[in-house]
Every structure is written in structure tokens, then in C-alpha cells.
Amino acid sequence: MTLPATIELNAGQACVADTADRANRWGARTENMPDSQQQLDLGTPADPTDWRRADVGYGILLPDSAASPADKAAALDAAGPVRELLKARPDTVVLRWSPQLPPGFVRRYYPDGTSQDPGIGVTTFGTARGLLPRYVSIIATPAEIPWRVQYDFETRHAVGRVPLTGDALGNYLQALVDEWRGCEIDVRAPVVWTVSTPGDITDLMRTVVADPLVTRLTDPTLPDLRTLGAASATAAQLLGALTAAHPAFVATSSHGLAVAAPDALRAGLGTPLDCTGTPVDLAALTASVPGGAVWYSQACCSAGSDAVTNYAGLIASGPVLDTLTAVAALGATVAPACLALLGRDRPVRAVFGHVEPTFDWTLRVAETGQALGGDLVAGMSTNLFAGQPLGYVLDAYRAGVGVLQSQWAELRAQLDNGDTSVRDRLTRLRLSAIDRQSLVLLGDPTVTLPKPD
């Protein structure tokens, strides 16, 4: 296998780049490739969708603080809305993260003043002492608890992030406790909005994800499905459909805003670009998505940015690398549309989005051309509408990341033994694993969508 001379991503104007002269060496780097993870509990398996069970469990992850271990165990140092959540969910496990901890570990304090540092992905699930809950809600921004911690949890845990503070945090957690009571959504009327330009990565995104998703959602239980594509994939058509249909589920597939002056980029990062290349108005979008909805945004930076791009050394110098560098200069952030939707008076249930871009190489098998959207499509249709918790609907997709990591580790060992022929394959595997894990859930992982009648 040899690498293609170019690579394409969904970052709008800057979307096609030459691969760097030594791009095949990028794949052998170890950063952001988690250690192998395997389940250790060989007992009778619990229902993984029932987070209330003691052998499954629910927990929150907070930044560590200078409070006493007993106070931290009870989250007495946490914000008021967090303490209210713990009252409503008294069996919640409180976890802590600190940059002083080794990568792949969190800390659990106990009322007696002791603590443990369980390993993510290698600790048995549950709420008892010494265990880690399967469902974990990171209540912190990525500047406080990095994206990589969320990626570590994704391999085996059902994890989401609530990146809010102040009144916005209170709005979201209150809606969570109230199970979005009073939000008017129509679960039978999903909206799928697909921008597709021939010869562009958006056309591949349509083929691999958007069209199969529409096929899955074409079902008698969803009689009011609306699909907008081709010339209908305009900002106005999207906003009109959201306002008229009050969909419980919205899927958009497009480029995301990633090229702009620094202030404009920070204000609109990841906003979908319509079929004319025009960003959807952010204020209008966040006002139109109904409270209680779930939004899947397949677009560059639709979830946010990280402080350092993962793709230096893969992409040759030029406009695309300049774009990724400019996005990274924003720091570890959450896209403004996500923050607005999650923190408003009637918040959405959740947003699925990407940190950094999605690449064309990761959407199909290099050797056969096979499309790789099946697990993602099943998660966003069959699993979601069956009422599975949002943190669990992509379990098979997340397991695929583990497979990629295992394949990478095997080939990396071959390289260490002198077999340089595996370098190109290593680069493809590393890119695919990092790209897949960057699809994150913003919102609590225990949330479910109502089932259609």
C-alpha cells in the first residue's frame, strides 16, 4: 500500500492538501493512540443500556480542587447545579481529573478521606469502591479537562461532556433532571440536510453517511421525515424545516466554517456551510433547533477545536495546514453553536460533532473502497430511535476505534522490528483512529430520545 498524493477534509475553502514528503512516518507516532484496552470482568454481563444498575453505573467527572478529600467525594466544592443533580441522582459516582495524574487515569475520593486512581478502560464497571461507572458525564470545558480524556473514555465507556458554567449549566442540568418536560418535539419528523458537491468530500460524506441514514429513517414510524439536498440544502430551507417540523432529530452534513479572520473564526467555528458555501446564520440556527432535540453535525470542527492539531506531519505546508493551525490557535474550545444550544432556557438534549475535521481516507477502506459509515448510521437511526442512551448508541462505532488501535499496535511492533514497509498502513490506521475518536457527544450520556409511536 502507498499513500495517496492528496488528502481531503471538510473544512470549507481549504479542503484539499498534498501529503507531506514524509507523511508515512506520521503514522508511527504514538501520540493520541491509547493503550490497548480490554474488559476484565468475566461475570454475568449486565444490561449496558441501564445506567441505573450498580454494576453499570453513572458518574460525573469534575476538575480536581484544593478541597478536602471528603468534600470532593461529595462534590461540596462543585457548582450549585451539579450538587442539585447529585441530589436527584444520589447513586452518582464523583470522579476527578488533574493534569498531575498519569495519562489514562482519574481519581476517586471517598468520604473516609482515602482515594484511588482507577485506569480508564481497564477497570471493572460499577459504582462500588474500586470500580468506574460505565456512563461518565464530563462537566467541564476542554480547557479544564482535555478532549483526550474524553477520547480515552470513549473506547469502553459511554461518555458525554457538558461544557457549561453558570446559568447555562443550570439550564441544562435542570432539563436533564426534568427529562425535558415541556419541550415540544416531533420524534416522527426527523430532518436530514445534506450539502453535496460533485468531486468534493461532501459528496463522499453524502454517499457514505447521509444517504444511508435517510434510507434507515425511511420507516412507517417516521412518516414526516424531511430530506433537504442538492439545491434545497440552503440555510433558509434548513431553518424553515426546523421551525415548521420541530424535529426531535436533526442531521446535517456539510463543510464547517474553518476559514475566517480570527475573531470571526472564534465566533462561528464549525457552523455548517450551505450549498452556496454560505455559513448558516448562527443566531438563527440556535433559535430554530427545538428544545429537547438531538443534532448530529457532520462538519469540520462542529464540536470545537483542540489546542494542537493532531495532523502536523501528515499534511504538507500550504493552505490546509494553515487552516488547521489557525483553528488550533483558538485553543481547546467548544463550537459556539453547541454552547448556545446546550445552555439556553430550553436546551437541546445533545449534539454529536467533530473536533477538528473529518478526512476522506477514513470514510472507506483503502484496499477495497468499502464505505465505513455502517456503524455510525445504525447508531444515529436504529439505536437512537430505539431509545438507547446517547452515550451508548455509537458503541459499535467506538469498538471500531479499538480495532483500529489494535491493528496499529501490531504493525507498530513490526516497524520496531525493522519492517519499514508498514509505514503507509500505519499512517492510514492512525488517521482513522484519531478521526473516529474525535466524533464526540456534547451532553449527558444517559439521555434518551423518546421512541416514535
Side-chain angles (χ1 to χ4, degrees):
M1 174 188 291
T2 56
L3 296 177
T6 62
I7 187 169
E8 189 172 0
L9 57 155
N10 57 350
Q13 297 94 324
C15 60
V16 181
D18 295 332
T19 47
D21 291 339
R22 304 176 80 179
N24 63 353
R25 296 175 182 264
W26 177 88
R29 287 162 51 181
T30 59
E31 309 98 286
N32 299 303
M33 295 299 294
D35 295 334
S36 296
Q37 299 177 4
Q38 60 183 7
Q39 188 167 347
L40 301 182
D41 183 4
L42 300 179
T44 302
D47 177 0
T49 66
D50 188 358
W51 56 270
R52 294 176 178 85
R53 289 177 56 118
D55 53 358
V56 178
Y58 171 73
I60 59 173
L61 180 65
L62 304 173
D64 212 336
S65 74
S68 71
D71 284 352
K72 288 189 283 192
L76 297 182
D77 60 329
V82 175
R83 298 196 302 273
E84 292 300 316
L85 173 65
L86 297 182
K87 290 179 183 177
R89 295 183 171 185
D91 294 327
T92 299
V93 174
V94 179
L95 304 170
R96 301 288 178 151
W97 180 85
S98 165
Q100 279 71 51
L101 287 169
F105 289 84
V106 291
R107 181 158 292 168
R108 184 172 177 184
Y109 292 98
Y110 297 98
D112 63 4
T114 61
S115 67
Q116 294 176 321
D117 295 344
I120 301 169
V122 294
T123 300
T124 303
F125 295 139
T127 58
R129 189 182 183 97
L131 308 184
L132 275 181
R134 180 160 193 164
Y135 287 76
V136 176
S137 185
I138 302 172
I139 304 182
T141 70
E144 296 170 315
I145 297 179
W147 289 116
R148 65 175 172 80
V149 178
Q150 188 164 355
Y151 301 158
D152 286 345
F153 271 107
E154 281 178 351
T155 303
R156 283 195 62 222
H157 292 259
V159 60
R161 182 187 293 266
V162 182
L164 305 170
T165 59
D167 291 343
L169 178 61
N171 290 340
Y172 185 84
L173 295 185
Q174 188 60 56
L176 172 66
V177 170
D178 292 342
E179 298 183 342
W180 276 267
R181 184 174 59 245
C183 289
E184 296 181 2
I185 51 172
D186 188 347
V187 73
R188 304 180 308 160
V191 169
V192 181
W193 181 84
T194 308
V195 174
S196 177
T197 302
D200 182 81
I201 189 175
T202 55
D203 197 37
L204 179 61
M205 291 156 57
R206 175 189 58 79
T207 301
V208 174
V209 177
D211 282 355
L213 181 60
V214 168
T215 299
R216 284 279 190 129
L217 296 178
T218 302
D219 185 272
T221 63
L222 307 173
D224 298 320
L225 167 69
R226 296 192 181 199
T227 60
L228 299 169
S232 296
T234 64
Q237 291 267 31
L238 173 61
L239 297 174
L242 295 175
T243 302
H246 294 281
F249 176 63
V250 182
T252 61
S253 179
S254 67
H255 285 292
L257 178 66
V259 179
D263 288 347
L265 185 60
R266 183 176 296 278
L269 179 68
T271 304
L273 306 183
D274 74 3
C275 62
T276 68
T278 303
V280 179
D281 183 79
L282 184 60
L285 177 64
T286 55
S288 299
V289 179
V294 174
W295 178 28
Y296 167 50
S297 179
Q298 183 179 226
C300 177
C301 305
S302 54
S305 62
D306 210 346
V308 178
T309 179
N310 283 315
Y311 306 111
L314 171 69
I315 295 174
S317 298
V320 172
L321 184 58
D322 291 344
T323 293
L324 296 180
T325 303
V327 169
L330 300 177
T333 65
V334 176
C338 300
L339 289 175
L341 288 168
L342 292 166
R344 67 189 189 185
D345 286 343
R346 290 182 178 268
V348 298
R349 277 176 163 80
V351 180
F352 288 94
H354 293 265
V355 181
E356 293 203 273
T358 287
F359 293 87
D360 59 336
W361 294 1
T362 66
L363 293 173
R364 55 193 167 195
V365 177
E367 294 87 347
T368 65
Q370 174 189 354
L372 293 175
D375 289 335
L376 177 58
V377 169
M380 294 296 174
S381 54
T382 303
N383 300 351
L384 182 69
F385 285 87
Q388 289 187 356
L390 299 188
Y392 189 77
V393 295
L394 294 181
D395 185 64
Y397 181 83
R398 305 297 188 201
V401 177
V403 171
L404 292 168
Q405 291 164 350
S406 296
Q407 292 175 351
W408 176 89
E410 182 179 341
L411 291 183
R412 187 64 170 79
Q414 290 182 225
L415 178 65
D416 290 342
N417 289 327
D419 183 2
T420 59
S421 69
V422 301
R423 281 178 169 156
D424 284 21
R425 182 62 177 161
L426 278 170
T427 287
R428 277 194 175 271
L429 288 171
R430 183 167 185 256
L431 177 66
S432 296
I434 292 174
D435 188 358
R436 279 193 171 213
Q437 72 184 10
S438 73
L439 173 57
V440 298
L441 171 64
L442 296 174
D444 189 89
T446 65
V447 171
T448 60
L449 198 66
K451 294 181 182 180
D453 296 332

